């Protein structure tokens, strides 16, 4: 089949300079969701009709196999589809989708295509409040036409079956039907919906199909509607996770903006955000208010609340946080402890090593069974270049230590608290760098003067 995605609208009610179809839902542009669904049908052609935002839309959705057709000016949905006609295979049917309707499921569209046969099929839904939508007008149960609300009579406005806009059309008939459209209506536009009446006049069968849920057909015209669809999407994600055995403290308070793969007995507390590709191994627990972006977490690891992890690979039975930050390039082996207010960047930390509080480990290779004391930092940046620190196995680093890279700490070495290390520390030895402690006897602390003394 051909798939045409109409994505030329401006979206005035979004009150934004960003084209409507590029507003994000679950971390991806609305249009990207629609393209992904179209691809699931394996069509021969995917043509996107664009207009408002122009090259910004094309640059953001940079996929080489897409066909683009520009609509300028925007004269309605019928006019939009006409711009795509030169790119379509006339021997196969055309499915019309919308760049701001992101949640339609593949199985719904497959059912619609089956209903069409060689004729026309409309995706329709009945709403308690159909205000704002075009109505399906039937006679003896058969679809006769679609009337837009602004052009509808009182009796037609009372109808509850609405047009979602999504339809399957015989491509070979489209050229004549679109050429026959007129803009004698309240909006002075060429309505694609008018082809239904043309099909009826030509005795082409017109059928309909309905989605499993009305939210599949909802579009975005405002930030409020965008937020409502975001919640609908996340509700579906939460349901799927729980059906797989994931424990969610509150299904209404999770955001997945990419893919989240969970093994058995994973538990996730409230207000966690998962971005990109995240993999959680068996028995992993994620505390409240964490952000994980492109992270792999092995079995048995516990992530305490308020952690921010990005492009990190975390081994088994680690303990992270609370308030820890793992930046890109971090790799932790098994049983590593990264505690509160510890930041790790572009570093590899071997088994059972610990940095339990108030430390920065950057551009560092840390061996196994290392203890990094509070207030320790690796000084990896000289203002122009990054340098690496090597900490070998079984090292003990005292609190408030600075390691000025490039520097190496030998196996089994101990660095005394307050040390500023600028040269390599030999293995098995105590290295201390601090000012000599002095006590001044007879010294008196200054006394604050009161107002009378002033």
């Amino acid at each position: 089949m051909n798939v045409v995605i109409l994505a030329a609208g401006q979206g005035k009610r979004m009150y934004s300079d960003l084209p409507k179809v590029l507003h994000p839902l679950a971390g991806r542009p609305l249009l990207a969701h629609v393209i992904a669904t179209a691809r699931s049908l394996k069509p021969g052609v995917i043509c996107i009709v664009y207009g408002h935002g122009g090259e910004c839309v094309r640059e953001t959705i940079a996929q080489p196999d897409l066909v683009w057709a520009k609509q300028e000016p925007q004269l309605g949905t019928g006019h939009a589809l006409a711009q795509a006609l030169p790119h379509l295979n006339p021997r196969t049917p055309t499915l019309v989708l919308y760049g701001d309707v992101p949640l339609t499921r593949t199985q719904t569209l497959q059912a619609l295509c089956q209903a069409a046969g060689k004729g026309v099929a409309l995706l329709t839904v009945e709403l308690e409040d159909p205000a704002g939508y075009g109505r399906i007008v039937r006679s003896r149960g058969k679809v006769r036409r679609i009337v837009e609300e602004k052009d509808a009579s009182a009796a037609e406005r009372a109808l509850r079956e609405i047009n979602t806009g999504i339809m399957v059309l015989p491509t070979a008939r489209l050229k004549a039907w679109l050429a026959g459209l007129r803009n004698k209506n309240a909006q002075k536009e060429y309505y694609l919906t008018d082809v239904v009446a043309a099909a009826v006049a030509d005795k082409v069968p017109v059928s309909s199909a309905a989605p499993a849920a009305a939210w599949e057909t909802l579009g975005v015209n405002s930030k409020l509607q965008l937020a409502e669809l975001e919640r609908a999407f996340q509700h579906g994600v939460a349901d799927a996770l729980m059906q797989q055995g994931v424990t969610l403290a509150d299904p209404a308070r999770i955001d997945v903006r990419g893919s989240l793969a969970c093994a058995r007995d994973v538990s996730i507390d409230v207000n966690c955000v998962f971005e990109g590709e995240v993999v959680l191994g068996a028995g992993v627990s994620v505390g409240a208010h964490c952000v994980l972006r492109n992270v792999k977490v092995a079995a048995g690891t516990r992530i305490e609340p308020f952690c921010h992890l990005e492009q990190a690979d975390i081994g088994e039975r680690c303990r992270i946080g609370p308030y820890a930050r793992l930046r890109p390039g971090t790799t932790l082996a098994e049983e590593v402890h990264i505690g509160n207010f510890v930041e790790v960047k572009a570093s590899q930390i071997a088994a059972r090593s610990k940095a339990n509080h108030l430390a920065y480990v950057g551009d560092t290779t840390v061996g196994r069974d290392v203890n990094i004391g509070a207030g320790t930092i690796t000084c990896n940046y000289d203002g122009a270049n990054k340098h690496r620190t090597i900490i070998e196995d079984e090292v003990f680093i005292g609190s408030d230590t600075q390691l000025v890279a490039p520097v190496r700490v030998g196996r089994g070495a101990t660095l005394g608290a307050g040390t500023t290390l600028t040269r390599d520390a030999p293995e098995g030895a105590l290295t201390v760098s601090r000012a000599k402690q002095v006590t001044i006897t007879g010294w008196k602390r200054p006394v604050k003067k009161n107002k009378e003394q002033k």
Side-chain angles (χ1 to χ4, degrees), residues 41-120:
L41 300 170
K42 297 180 171 52
V45 175
I46 300 177
C47 179
I48 300 176
V49 180
Y50 72 106
H52 182 74
E55 295 308 311
C56 177
V57 175
R58 294 191 62 168
E59 291 169 6
T60 303
I61 310 293
Q63 299 177 19
D65 60 330
L66 298 175
V67 175
W68 296 85
K70 191 168 186 178
Q71 184 191 21
E72 192 175 33
Q74 283 89 57
L75 301 178
T77 52
H79 177 256
L81 184 56
Q83 312 313 303
L85 270 182
H87 305 288
L88 306 183
N89 180 352
R91 295 182 298 277
T92 61
T94 293
L95 170 65
V96 179
L97 302 175
Y98 293 81
D100 60 354
V101 181
L103 302 186
T104 314
R105 293 185 289 194
T106 300
Q107 54 266 42
T108 296
L109 297 178
Q110 289 172 334
L112 181 68
C113 293
Q114 290 174 357
K118 295 183 179 181
V120 174

Side-chain angles (χ1 to χ4, degrees), residues 103-251:
L103 302 186
T104 314
R105 293 185 289 194
T106 300
Q107 54 266 42
T108 296
L109 297 178
Q110 289 172 334
L112 181 68
C113 293
Q114 290 174 357
K118 295 183 179 181
V120 174
L122 312 175
L123 190 65
T124 73
V125 64
E126 289 200 9
L127 299 178
E128 289 294 328
D129 180 10
Y133 291 94
R135 308 300 203 274
I136 303 296
V137 179
R138 294 179 181 266
S139 175
R140 296 179 181 177
K142 294 185 177 181
V143 176
R144 308 305 297 174
R145 60 190 178 90
I146 300 172
V147 59
E148 297 298 325
E149 185 174 66
K150 291 183 178 180
D151 304 302
S153 66
E156 290 167 339
R157 285 195 297 271
L159 298 172
R160 293 195 306 164
E161 186 183 14
I162 63 97
N163 169 48
T164 68
I166 296 172
M167 59 181 70
V168 176
L169 300 162
T171 310
R173 297 268 194 166
L174 274 178
K175 184 175 181 180
W177 288 348
L178 293 176
L181 296 180
R182 298 293 179 262
N183 64 348
K184 295 180 180 180
N185 51 61
Q187 299 187 78
K188 304 299 181 185
E189 292 183 350
Y190 296 94
Y191 295 151
L192 178 57
T193 50
D194 287 347
V195 302
V196 173
V200 171
D202 287 346
K203 295 182 170 46
V204 174
V206 179
S207 56
S208 65
W215 52 257
E216 291 189 60
T217 67
L218 298 180
V220 173
N221 289 302
S222 68
K223 295 292 179 65
L224 174 61
Q225 291 175 339
L226 180 62
E228 290 171 344
L229 287 194
E230 180 75 40
R231 285 304 94 209
F233 180 92
Q234 298 299 342
H235 179 76
V237 171
D239 281 357
L241 288 171
M242 290 187 292
Q243 288 172 7
Q244 296 164 18
V246 178
T247 298
L248 300 180
D250 184 350

Side-chain angles (χ1 to χ4, degrees), residues 5-19:
I5 303 173
L6 304 186
Q10 181 176 357
K12 293 180 180 179
R13 284 179 281 167
M14 300 297 284
Y15 297 101
S16 173
D17 293 332
L18 187 68

